[in-house]
Amino acid sequence: MIKAVAATGALGTGFKAETLAKAAEGADFIGCDAGSSDPGPYYLGSGEMLASPAALSRDLELMIAAGLKHRIPVLVGSAGTAGARPQLERSVEIIRQLAAKNGWHFKLGIIDSEIAAETVVEAFKDGKLTALAGAPDIDEASIMAAAHVVAMQGPDCFIDALDQGADVVIAGRTSDTAIYAAIPIMRGIPKGIAFHAAKILECGAASTVERKYPDSMVSYIDHESFVVDPPNPQMLCTAQSVASHVLYETANPYRLAEPDGVLVTENSQYEAVSDRAVRVTGSQFEDADAYTVKLEAATLRGYREVVFGSIRDPLVIDQIDSFVDTVQAVITQKIKDSLGLAPSDFSWRWSVYGKNGSMGPLEPVNRVEGHEIVLLIEILSGSPDLASAIGSITWHTVLHQPIPEYGGLVSQIAFPFSPPAVSVGAAYEFSINHVMRLDRPDATYTLTLENL
């Protein structure tokens, strides 16, 4: 029997110290996912971290202290949000500072899963890349333009580090499940059970009926099944809450792809074993013909300026589509006259919240049903100065754009802050979403061991 502990669903979002302390008693390891592609391409492209260093330090300090106390490994994946090298290096530095502060001594395994664009180009030319659904078209130039490329690792990188004596492992980009499947697989647990348990653990307390706040989760894993049992007495799991978690972040809840195969949950059975714990049986795993890693990359697209304001005038709201079309044409001409820019020199996106702001052209109820709307205008250009200049022209023109029903100078939009156009900095886009075939599992990561 293996007792696996997920500290929380995302490093830096917190957990109750007393919950982790309780969960760590008798545990075999503590894990935590530190990143995702969910927050978008900015973090991968820029190398910035979503969580603050203070929040990361708090969570890591409690986790490592518990690991050292109970002499069990602590595993962290997707360091610093996207798992890029700058984020990994900052995360490692936080761990070094914590070790110095607390007088800790342990072996740290550092797994770098960022790969050179040149390596990806060679794989592209050799036909080793396969596009995933919705992936952008790529060529050698677009690959080389990427700010960072990471290879999403499976459990093998953690197994490698643990085999070499690491007490704490901090990894760049990994799959969420890799963190929690590694030790069960090392100890002979069938992969179907190991990966399914890992899938439930990866988001901490998210598989409870009501996750009141981010917190820890425990799973007891053996060769026949695994049990999900929340250590916080205020939370509970049901068969439905655990089963439904395979719907989260998956295209197909019955077939979940991993680097070396596919977790199959079609025959999984979920059974309550108490008023708060659930046993899962029947999970299977299909080995793949080839080992693959998912590649993620982000490329600088430009610099973003945002104009945000509300419109409450029913006459403007009733003709909002034609109003937007008209004012876009006026602004385009002003930008040409004032800045000498053609439409190809910038891009923008106009979203009308209260009509179809969330879904755009996919919105099935494409009409205004309320008394007010919000106009959000995103502007992208090649430099911060140009984006700011376009933003100024945009907000001022929208403010005073006439409609046929009114004469004289009018004001059509209310801005909640000053300045009405806000610079939000560099804008990135995901530029690679492909899998790469490997000859061996360790081909796209580097393991370094450091004695602290």
Side-chain angles (χ1 to χ4, degrees), residues 360-403:
L362 299 177
E363 174 58 60
V365 186
N366 196 2
R367 62 181 179 274
V368 178
E369 296 187 327
H371 64 281
E372 65 179 355
I373 59 174
V374 168
L375 193 59
L376 177 64
I377 308 164
E378 173 197 5
I379 299 154
L380 285 176
S381 191
S383 74
D385 289 343
L386 282 178
S388 178
I390 295 169
S392 295
I393 291 172
T394 298
W395 76 255
H396 190 265
T397 305
V398 173
L399 176 64
H400 296 304
Q401 178 64 30
I403 60 172

Short mmCIF file of all heavy atoms in Angstrom, two decimals, residues 360-403:
data_model
loop_
_atom_site.label_atom_id
_atom_site.label_comp_id
_atom_site.label_asym_id
_atom_site.label_seq_id
_atom_site.Cartn_x
_atom_site.Cartn_y
_atom_site.Cartn_z
N GLY A 360 -17.92 35.15 -28.64
CA GLY A 360 -17.77 35.74 -29.95
C GLY A 360 -18.73 35.14 -30.96
O GLY A 360 -19.93 34.98 -30.68
N PRO A 361 -18.24 34.76 -32.15
CA PRO A 361 -19.13 34.24 -33.19
C PRO A 361 -19.78 32.91 -32.84
O PRO A 361 -20.72 32.49 -33.51
CB PRO A 361 -18.20 34.10 -34.41
CG PRO A 361 -16.82 34.01 -33.84
CD PRO A 361 -16.83 34.86 -32.61
N LEU A 362 -19.31 32.23 -31.80
CA LEU A 362 -19.91 30.96 -31.39
C LEU A 362 -21.11 31.15 -30.46
O LEU A 362 -21.79 30.18 -30.14
CB LEU A 362 -18.87 30.08 -30.70
CG LEU A 362 -17.64 29.68 -31.53
CD1 LEU A 362 -16.67 28.87 -30.68
CD2 LEU A 362 -18.06 28.89 -32.76
N GLU A 363 -21.36 32.37 -30.04
CA GLU A 363 -22.46 32.63 -29.11
C GLU A 363 -23.81 32.32 -29.74
O GLU A 363 -24.17 32.90 -30.77
CB GLU A 363 -22.42 34.10 -28.66
CG GLU A 363 -23.60 34.54 -27.81
CD GLU A 363 -23.73 33.71 -26.54
OE1 GLU A 363 -22.79 33.71 -25.74
OE2 GLU A 363 -24.78 33.06 -26.39
N PRO A 364 -24.60 31.39 -29.17
CA PRO A 364 -25.91 31.04 -29.76
C PRO A 364 -26.99 32.09 -29.50
O PRO A 364 -27.96 32.17 -30.25
CB PRO A 364 -26.26 29.72 -29.07
CG PRO A 364 -25.54 29.77 -27.78
CD PRO A 364 -24.27 30.53 -28.02
N VAL A 365 -26.84 32.90 -28.45
CA VAL A 365 -27.83 33.94 -28.14
C VAL A 365 -27.15 35.28 -28.42
O VAL A 365 -26.75 36.00 -27.51
CB VAL A 365 -28.30 33.86 -26.67
CG1 VAL A 365 -29.43 34.85 -26.41
CG2 VAL A 365 -28.76 32.44 -26.33
N ASN A 366 -27.01 35.60 -29.67
CA ASN A 366 -26.19 36.74 -30.09
C ASN A 366 -27.01 38.03 -30.12
O ASN A 366 -27.25 38.62 -31.17
CB ASN A 366 -25.58 36.45 -31.46
CG ASN A 366 -24.43 37.39 -31.78
OD1 ASN A 366 -24.07 38.24 -30.98
ND2 ASN A 366 -23.87 37.24 -32.97
N ARG A 367 -27.42 38.45 -28.92
CA ARG A 367 -28.19 39.70 -28.82
C ARG A 367 -28.02 40.24 -27.41
O ARG A 367 -27.69 39.53 -26.47
CB ARG A 367 -29.67 39.45 -29.12
CG ARG A 367 -30.34 38.49 -28.16
CD ARG A 367 -31.81 38.26 -28.51
NE ARG A 367 -32.47 37.33 -27.61
CZ ARG A 367 -32.46 36.01 -27.73
NH1 ARG A 367 -31.82 35.45 -28.76
NH2 ARG A 367 -33.08 35.23 -26.87
N VAL A 368 -28.27 41.53 -27.28
CA VAL A 368 -28.19 42.18 -25.97
C VAL A 368 -29.51 41.99 -25.25
O VAL A 368 -30.58 42.29 -25.79
CB VAL A 368 -27.87 43.68 -26.11
CG1 VAL A 368 -27.85 44.34 -24.74
CG2 VAL A 368 -26.55 43.87 -26.84
N GLU A 369 -29.44 41.49 -24.01
CA GLU A 369 -30.66 41.25 -23.24
C GLU A 369 -30.72 42.09 -21.97
O GLU A 369 -31.71 42.05 -21.25
CB GLU A 369 -30.79 39.76 -22.89
CG GLU A 369 -30.95 38.87 -24.11
CD GLU A 369 -31.26 37.43 -23.76
OE1 GLU A 369 -30.76 36.96 -22.71
OE2 GLU A 369 -31.99 36.78 -24.51
N GLY A 370 -29.67 42.86 -21.71
CA GLY A 370 -29.62 43.67 -20.49
C GLY A 370 -29.67 45.15 -20.80
O GLY A 370 -29.83 45.57 -21.95
N HIS A 371 -29.52 45.95 -19.75
CA HIS A 371 -29.61 47.40 -19.88
C HIS A 371 -28.26 48.06 -20.11
O HIS A 371 -28.19 49.26 -20.35
CB HIS A 371 -30.25 48.00 -18.63
CG HIS A 371 -29.43 47.80 -17.39
ND1 HIS A 371 -29.40 46.62 -16.69
CD2 HIS A 371 -28.57 48.63 -16.74
CE1 HIS A 371 -28.60 46.73 -15.66
NE2 HIS A 371 -28.07 47.94 -15.66
N GLU A 372 -27.16 47.28 -20.01
CA GLU A 372 -25.84 47.85 -20.25
C GLU A 372 -24.91 46.79 -20.85
O GLU A 372 -25.15 45.59 -20.71
CB GLU A 372 -25.22 48.40 -18.96
CG GLU A 372 -24.93 47.34 -17.92
CD GLU A 372 -24.30 47.92 -16.65
OE1 GLU A 372 -24.02 49.13 -16.63
OE2 GLU A 372 -24.11 47.15 -15.69
N ILE A 373 -23.89 47.27 -21.51
CA ILE A 373 -22.88 46.38 -22.08
C ILE A 373 -21.50 46.94 -21.73
O ILE A 373 -21.37 48.10 -21.32
CB ILE A 373 -23.00 46.26 -23.61
CG1 ILE A 373 -22.86 47.63 -24.28
CG2 ILE A 373 -24.31 45.59 -24.00
CD1 ILE A 373 -22.83 47.58 -25.78
N VAL A 374 -20.49 46.11 -21.88
CA VAL A 374 -19.11 46.54 -21.70
C VAL A 374 -18.37 46.30 -23.00
O VAL A 374 -18.47 45.21 -23.59
CB VAL A 374 -18.44 45.77 -20.55
CG1 VAL A 374 -16.93 46.00 -20.55
CG2 VAL A 374 -19.01 46.20 -19.21
N LEU A 375 -17.65 47.31 -23.43
CA LEU A 375 -16.84 47.21 -24.64
C LEU A 375 -15.37 47.06 -24.22
O LEU A 375 -14.84 47.91 -23.50
CB LEU A 375 -17.02 48.47 -25.48
CG LEU A 375 -16.50 48.45 -26.92
CD1 LEU A 375 -17.15 47.34 -27.73
CD2 LEU A 375 -16.75 49.80 -27.58
N LEU A 376 -14.76 45.95 -24.63
CA LEU A 376 -13.36 45.69 -24.34
C LEU A 376 -12.61 45.63 -25.66
O LEU A 376 -12.93 44.81 -26.52
CB LEU A 376 -13.19 44.38 -23.58
CG LEU A 376 -11.75 43.95 -23.26
CD1 LEU A 376 -11.08 44.94 -22.33
CD2 LEU A 376 -11.72 42.55 -22.67
N ILE A 377 -11.63 46.49 -25.81
CA ILE A 377 -10.86 46.58 -27.06
C ILE A 377 -9.40 46.26 -26.76
O ILE A 377 -8.76 46.94 -25.96
CB ILE A 377 -10.98 47.99 -27.68
CG1 ILE A 377 -12.43 48.41 -27.80
CG2 ILE A 377 -10.28 48.03 -29.04
CD1 ILE A 377 -12.62 49.90 -28.03
N GLU A 378 -8.91 45.21 -27.39
CA GLU A 378 -7.52 44.80 -27.23
C GLU A 378 -6.76 45.19 -28.49
O GLU A 378 -7.16 44.87 -29.61
CB GLU A 378 -7.43 43.29 -27.03
CG GLU A 378 -6.02 42.75 -27.03
CD GLU A 378 -5.96 41.26 -27.25
OE1 GLU A 378 -7.01 40.64 -27.49
OE2 GLU A 378 -4.85 40.70 -27.22
N ILE A 379 -5.67 45.91 -28.31
CA ILE A 379 -4.86 46.41 -29.42
C ILE A 379 -3.47 45.79 -29.34
O ILE A 379 -2.84 45.79 -28.28
CB ILE A 379 -4.75 47.95 -29.36
CG1 ILE A 379 -6.13 48.60 -29.47
CG2 ILE A 379 -3.82 48.47 -30.44
CD1 ILE A 379 -6.22 49.95 -28.83
N LEU A 380 -2.98 45.29 -30.45
CA LEU A 380 -1.63 44.72 -30.51
C LEU A 380 -0.84 45.44 -31.59
O LEU A 380 -1.32 45.60 -32.72
CB LEU A 380 -1.68 43.23 -30.83
CG LEU A 380 -2.10 42.28 -29.71
CD1 LEU A 380 -2.18 40.86 -30.24
CD2 LEU A 380 -1.14 42.36 -28.54
N SER A 381 0.38 45.86 -31.24
CA SER A 381 1.24 46.50 -32.22
C SER A 381 2.68 46.12 -31.94
O SER A 381 2.99 45.47 -30.94
CB SER A 381 1.07 48.02 -32.18
OG SER A 381 1.71 48.62 -33.30
N GLY A 382 3.57 46.56 -32.83
CA GLY A 382 4.95 46.09 -32.77
C GLY A 382 5.80 46.71 -31.70
O GLY A 382 6.91 46.23 -31.45
N SER A 383 5.33 47.77 -31.05
CA SER A 383 6.10 48.40 -29.99
C SER A 383 5.13 48.94 -28.95
O SER A 383 3.97 49.25 -29.26
CB SER A 383 6.97 49.54 -30.53
OG SER A 383 6.16 50.66 -30.85
N PRO A 384 5.58 49.11 -27.70
CA PRO A 384 4.71 49.68 -26.68
C PRO A 384 4.24 51.09 -27.03
O PRO A 384 3.08 51.45 -26.76
CB PRO A 384 5.58 49.67 -25.42
CG PRO A 384 6.62 48.63 -25.67
CD PRO A 384 6.87 48.66 -27.15
N ASP A 385 5.11 51.88 -27.63
CA ASP A 385 4.74 53.26 -27.96
C ASP A 385 3.63 53.31 -29.01
O ASP A 385 2.69 54.10 -28.91
CB ASP A 385 5.96 54.04 -28.45
CG ASP A 385 6.95 54.33 -27.34
OD1 ASP A 385 6.55 54.23 -26.15
OD2 ASP A 385 8.12 54.64 -27.65
N LEU A 386 3.75 52.45 -30.03
CA LEU A 386 2.71 52.43 -31.06
C LEU A 386 1.39 51.93 -30.49
O LEU A 386 0.32 52.47 -30.80
CB LEU A 386 3.14 51.56 -32.23
CG LEU A 386 4.13 52.17 -33.22
CD1 LEU A 386 4.49 51.16 -34.30
CD2 LEU A 386 3.56 53.45 -33.85
N ALA A 387 1.44 50.90 -29.66
CA ALA A 387 0.21 50.39 -29.05
C ALA A 387 -0.46 51.46 -28.21
O ALA A 387 -1.69 51.63 -28.23
CB ALA A 387 0.53 49.17 -28.19
N SER A 388 0.35 52.23 -27.47
CA SER A 388 -0.20 53.31 -26.65
C SER A 388 -0.81 54.41 -27.51
O SER A 388 -1.89 54.94 -27.20
CB SER A 388 0.91 53.89 -25.77
OG SER A 388 0.43 54.96 -24.99
N ALA A 389 -0.14 54.74 -28.61
CA ALA A 389 -0.66 55.78 -29.50
C ALA A 389 -1.99 55.36 -30.12
O ALA A 389 -2.94 56.15 -30.21
CB ALA A 389 0.36 56.09 -30.59
N ILE A 390 -2.08 54.09 -30.54
CA ILE A 390 -3.33 53.58 -31.11
C ILE A 390 -4.41 53.54 -30.05
O ILE A 390 -5.58 53.88 -30.31
CB ILE A 390 -3.10 52.18 -31.71
CG1 ILE A 390 -2.15 52.27 -32.90
CG2 ILE A 390 -4.42 51.55 -32.15
CD1 ILE A 390 -1.65 50.93 -33.40
N GLY A 391 -4.04 53.17 -28.82
CA GLY A 391 -5.01 53.15 -27.73
C GLY A 391 -5.61 54.51 -27.45
O GLY A 391 -6.82 54.64 -27.22
N SER A 392 -4.79 55.55 -27.49
CA SER A 392 -5.29 56.91 -27.24
C SER A 392 -6.29 57.34 -28.31
O SER A 392 -7.33 57.93 -28.01
CB SER A 392 -4.11 57.89 -27.18
OG SER A 392 -3.28 57.61 -26.08
N ILE A 393 -5.94 57.06 -29.55
CA ILE A 393 -6.87 57.40 -30.64
C ILE A 393 -8.17 56.61 -30.49
O ILE A 393 -9.27 57.14 -30.69
CB ILE A 393 -6.21 57.12 -32.01
CG1 ILE A 393 -5.07 58.11 -32.26
CG2 ILE A 393 -7.23 57.19 -33.14
CD1 ILE A 393 -4.24 57.80 -33.49
N THR A 394 -8.05 55.35 -30.10
CA THR A 394 -9.21 54.47 -30.02
C THR A 394 -10.20 54.94 -28.95
O THR A 394 -11.39 55.10 -29.21
CB THR A 394 -8.76 53.02 -29.72
OG1 THR A 394 -7.95 52.56 -30.81
CG2 THR A 394 -9.96 52.11 -29.54
N TRP A 395 -9.71 55.15 -27.72
CA TRP A 395 -10.66 55.50 -26.66
C TRP A 395 -11.32 56.85 -26.90
O TRP A 395 -12.52 57.03 -26.65
CB TRP A 395 -10.01 55.42 -25.29
CG TRP A 395 -9.09 56.55 -24.87
CD1 TRP A 395 -7.73 56.50 -24.82
CD2 TRP A 395 -9.46 57.84 -24.38
NE1 TRP A 395 -7.21 57.69 -24.36
CE2 TRP A 395 -8.26 58.53 -24.08
CE3 TRP A 395 -10.66 58.50 -24.19
CZ2 TRP A 395 -8.23 59.84 -23.58
CZ3 TRP A 395 -10.65 59.80 -23.69
CH2 TRP A 395 -9.46 60.47 -23.39
N HIS A 396 -10.56 57.80 -27.41
CA HIS A 396 -11.13 59.13 -27.63
C HIS A 396 -12.17 59.11 -28.75
O HIS A 396 -13.20 59.78 -28.67
CB HIS A 396 -10.01 60.13 -27.96
CG HIS A 396 -10.46 61.55 -27.98
ND1 HIS A 396 -10.85 62.21 -29.13
CD2 HIS A 396 -10.63 62.44 -26.96
CE1 HIS A 396 -11.19 63.44 -28.84
NE2 HIS A 396 -11.08 63.62 -27.53
N THR A 397 -11.91 58.32 -29.78
CA THR A 397 -12.86 58.24 -30.89
C THR A 397 -14.14 57.54 -30.46
O THR A 397 -15.25 57.99 -30.80
CB THR A 397 -12.22 57.50 -32.07
OG1 THR A 397 -10.99 58.14 -32.43
CG2 THR A 397 -13.14 57.51 -33.28
N VAL A 398 -14.02 56.43 -29.74
CA VAL A 398 -15.22 55.73 -29.27
C VAL A 398 -16.05 56.63 -28.37
O VAL A 398 -17.29 56.65 -28.45
CB VAL A 398 -14.82 54.44 -28.52
CG1 VAL A 398 -16.05 53.79 -27.87
CG2 VAL A 398 -14.15 53.45 -29.45
N LEU A 399 -15.38 57.38 -27.52
CA LEU A 399 -16.09 58.25 -26.58
C LEU A 399 -17.03 59.22 -27.29
O LEU A 399 -18.17 59.42 -26.87
CB LEU A 399 -15.06 59.03 -25.75
CG LEU A 399 -15.63 60.07 -24.78
CD1 LEU A 399 -16.48 59.40 -23.70
CD2 LEU A 399 -14.49 60.88 -24.14
N HIS A 400 -16.56 59.79 -28.39
CA HIS A 400 -17.33 60.85 -29.05
C HIS A 400 -17.92 60.43 -30.40
O HIS A 400 -18.35 61.30 -31.17
CB HIS A 400 -16.45 62.09 -29.23
CG HIS A 400 -16.01 62.70 -27.93
ND1 HIS A 400 -16.90 63.09 -26.96
CD2 HIS A 400 -14.76 62.98 -27.46
CE1 HIS A 400 -16.23 63.61 -25.93
NE2 HIS A 400 -14.93 63.55 -26.21
N GLN A 401 -17.97 59.14 -30.69
CA GLN A 401 -18.51 58.70 -31.97
C GLN A 401 -20.01 58.99 -32.05
O GLN A 401 -20.79 58.53 -31.21
CB GLN A 401 -18.27 57.20 -32.16
CG GLN A 401 -18.84 56.63 -33.44
CD GLN A 401 -18.20 57.23 -34.69
OE1 GLN A 401 -17.03 57.60 -34.67
NE2 GLN A 401 -18.95 57.32 -35.77
N PRO A 402 -20.47 59.75 -33.04
CA PRO A 402 -21.90 60.10 -33.11
C PRO A 402 -22.76 58.94 -33.62
O PRO A 402 -22.27 58.00 -34.24
CB PRO A 402 -21.91 61.25 -34.11
CG PRO A 402 -20.73 61.02 -34.99
CD PRO A 402 -19.68 60.41 -34.10
N ILE A 403 -24.04 59.03 -33.31
CA ILE A 403 -25.05 58.15 -33.90
C ILE A 403 -26.12 59.04 -34.50
O ILE A 403 -26.26 60.22 -34.12
CB ILE A 403 -25.64 57.18 -32.85
CG1 ILE A 403 -26.31 57.95 -31.71
CG2 ILE A 403 -24.58 56.23 -32.34
CD1 ILE A 403 -27.07 57.05 -30.74
#
